[in-house]
Amino acid sequence: MKQINIGMVGYKFMGKAHSHAYRDLHMFFPKVAKPVMKLICGRDEEGVAQAAEQFGWDGYVTDWRDLLNNKDIDVIDINAPSNAHMEIALAAAKAGKHLFCEKPLALTLPDSREMLKAAEDAGVKHMVGFNYRFAPAVMLAKKLIDEGRLGEIYHFRAWFLQDWIVDPDFPLVWRLQKEIAGSGSHGDLGAHLIDLAHYLIGGMTEVIGMSETFIKERPEPTSMTGLSAKGSKDAPKGPVTVDDATLFMSRFANGALGSFEATRFAPGHRCTNSFEINGSKGSVKFDFERMNELQVYFTDDAEDVQGFRRVLATDPSHAYMDAWWPAGHTIGYEHTFIHEVVELMQALEEDRQPVPNFVDGVKCQEVLEAVDRSIAERRWVRIDEV
């Protein structure tokens, strides 16, 4: 049984999700290399010490460079805020550590390309955290497309809707600051939609978009964790420097048309991450709030029973599900991260690049920046322009 030693930077929302995946993976996937939770890193010693104990790490450090200098660490997991990704990844690659980095890879396309080059030059394995690919129902949609059961693909439409900052007095958390987050709903939510489109449909050739920041200023926070924060509405205000909502259309290389909507201003939508794909032989619909289900329609069904059918993707025939519970017993958000780590561990054992990797991260960043250019210049932008 091979063991892979992990050093992780970040201990809040994504840190908890990744820690859970490392901790529980071997209970359900015993034949896969075992991730060993060696060291977790965070700048706040009190906070990271508490996280280390709560999540089950062997120890903690407050400087990520200590992870690189530790010869026992095999993989550096980066889930710190986006502005920290590049510096850590470049140094970790130079130190010969394999990389698992949350999305988006970096604040800009040139930075993400530099991260990819550094990983390739160092000959290390690299993975990017697009976890929604790993929902079995999404993987079923991929299977139907690859097998030609939906025919020629005409449309991909996707929307990621949240409502956690609708209140104008919600504090100015780091995700609303461009110098830290890179972008708002576009890079945070839209990045997942773009990756799903690449995974399911293929590359895009051109895009056109628009965006809006509805609340221009917000009160400074007193504390923040994950998507929650505390503060006073009477506190000094700072500018919101990212988008609140971004919409764009695209053309795919295979001729399909795409539409994408990402917003944090959709009251009633806590986490509506959905897509619909229409082809010449059928359609599929997915909604992450019902993540175990895929709605499937085939045109060759008898006329008197045509319609969308609900497929519960929990049978052993569905991706990863033979490791879980009896058919009909559903899984949740956290399991997508476990499936990610299964892919990472298998790739390290098999001496191959995991998927998705930094190449996919760069492809996503290309679309993000092409949309940004389209918004700024009010025109269609080809992906190969960026």
Side-chain angles (χ1 to χ4, degrees):
M1 181 181 67
K2 188 173 182 180
Q3 295 188 343
I4 307 293
N5 294 331
I6 312 296
M8 190 170 80
V9 187
Y11 64 91
K12 294 191 176 179
F13 177 20
M14 281 297 102
K16 180 179 288 188
H18 287 211
S19 296
H20 173 270
Y22 292 131
R23 188 188 64 197
D24 282 9
L25 179 144
H26 219 244
M27 181 187 300
F28 296 95
F29 296 88
K31 296 181 180 180
V32 177
K34 183 178 182 179
V36 179
M37 299 164 67
K38 284 291 186 181
L39 293 171
I40 186 172
C41 176
R43 290 173 294 182
D44 174 25
E45 183 166 9
E46 182 180 354
V48 73
Q50 180 181 344
E53 181 177 359
Q54 179 181 343
F55 301 163
W57 290 84
D58 291 349
Y60 70 89
V61 296
T62 57
D63 187 335
W64 55 264
R65 295 167 186 84
D66 292 339
L67 302 179
L68 309 191
N69 295 327
N70 188 316
K71 62 180 177 59
D72 293 329
I73 300 295
D74 301 307
V75 174
I76 301 297
D77 180 318
I78 308 167
N79 57 77
S82 304
N83 65 332
H85 289 185
M86 184 175 75
E87 182 184 12
I88 299 170
L90 295 183
K94 187 175 181 179
K97 307 296 187 182
H98 303 300
L99 300 165
F100 180 23
C101 184
E102 265 302 324
K103 62 82 205 165
L105 272 187
L107 298 185
T108 68
L109 177 57
D111 287 354
S112 66
R113 286 173 171 162
E114 186 175 351
M115 290 169 64
L116 171 60
K117 184 177 186 302
E120 291 179 336
D121 289 348
V124 299
K125 305 297 186 286
H126 45 89
M127 187 173 192
V128 63
F130 288 120
N131 63 297
Y132 293 106
R133 283 192 186 206
F134 291 89
V138 172
M139 300 183 84
L140 174 59
K142 171 70 169 173
K143 180 173 180 285
L144 296 176
I145 293 167
D146 288 350
E147 292 177 353
R149 294 164 72 180
L150 298 187
E152 180 183 355
I153 303 302
Y154 298 136
H155 296 287
F156 177 87
R157 63 183 64 87
W159 52 101
F160 204 147
L161 316 177
Q162 293 183 343
D163 66 356
W164 58 282
I165 59 170
V166 169
D167 182 354
D169 293 325
F170 186 87
L172 185 67
V173 296
W174 69 264
R175 284 184 168 84
L176 305 183
Q177 299 173 283
K178 187 176 180 64
E179 66 272 18
I180 301 176
S183 68
S185 64
H186 185 43
D188 186 22
L189 308 181
H192 281 298
L193 302 180
I194 292 165
D195 181 69
L196 286 172
H198 285 156
Y199 173 59
L200 295 165
I201 309 299
M204 303 178 209
T205 57
E206 59 180 348
V207 296
I208 188 169
M210 62 179 178
S211 67
E212 185 58 63
T213 302
F214 299 113
I215 305 298
K216 311 298 185 185
E217 291 185 326
R218 291 183 178 274
E220 298 286 348
T222 55
S223 66
M224 62 182 91
T225 301
L227 300 185
S228 63
K230 295 180 180 179
S232 169
K233 66 179 181 179
D234 298 320
K237 292 188 176 182
V240 176
T241 52
V242 300
D243 62 287
D244 286 331
T246 294
L247 289 77
F248 72 94
M249 296 184 295
S250 73
R251 291 186 182 275
F252 289 87
N254 65 2
L257 303 181
S259 65
F260 299 77
E261 178 181 3
T263 182
R264 295 162 170 166
F265 273 71
H269 291 275
R270 298 295 191 258
C271 194
T272 304
N273 176 10
S274 303
F275 63 78
E276 180 170 340
I277 299 169
N278 307 126
S280 60
K281 295 181 180 179
S283 298
V284 293
K285 295 190 293 186
F286 173 79
D287 178 0
F288 185 72
E289 291 180 348
R290 304 180 69 91
M291 65 163 284
N292 290 276
E293 301 176 10
L294 187 69
Q295 298 289 328
V296 181
Y297 172 84
F298 293 118
T299 60
D300 60 2
D301 283 342
E303 185 176 354
D304 60 346
V305 292
Q306 282 193 351
F308 278 96
R309 70 189 71 178
R310 182 188 73 122
V311 177
L312 191 61
T314 59
D315 281 42
S317 60
H318 299 118
Y320 295 105
M321 290 308 300
D322 59 342
W324 294 107
W325 317 114
H329 293 67
T330 57
I331 60 173
Y333 174 66
E334 67 274 21
H335 297 85
T336 63
F337 293 95
I338 293 179
H339 298 164
E340 268 189 319
V341 175
V342 169
E343 167 64 12
L344 176 61
M345 294 297 106
Q346 288 178 330
L348 292 171
E349 280 190 289
E350 297 165 8
D351 193 25
R352 61 172 175 83
Q353 288 296 353
V355 178
N357 53 51
F358 283 15
V359 173
D360 301 283
V362 170
K363 284 177 59 180
C364 179
Q365 197 79 44
E366 288 173 346
V367 176
L368 290 171
E369 296 210 7
V371 172
D372 284 339
R373 183 178 297 186
S374 168
I375 294 168
E377 301 178 4
R378 302 178 69 85
R379 66 178 178 90
W380 281 93
V381 171
R382 291 187 56 83
I383 303 302
D384 59 16
E385 290 183 46
V386 299

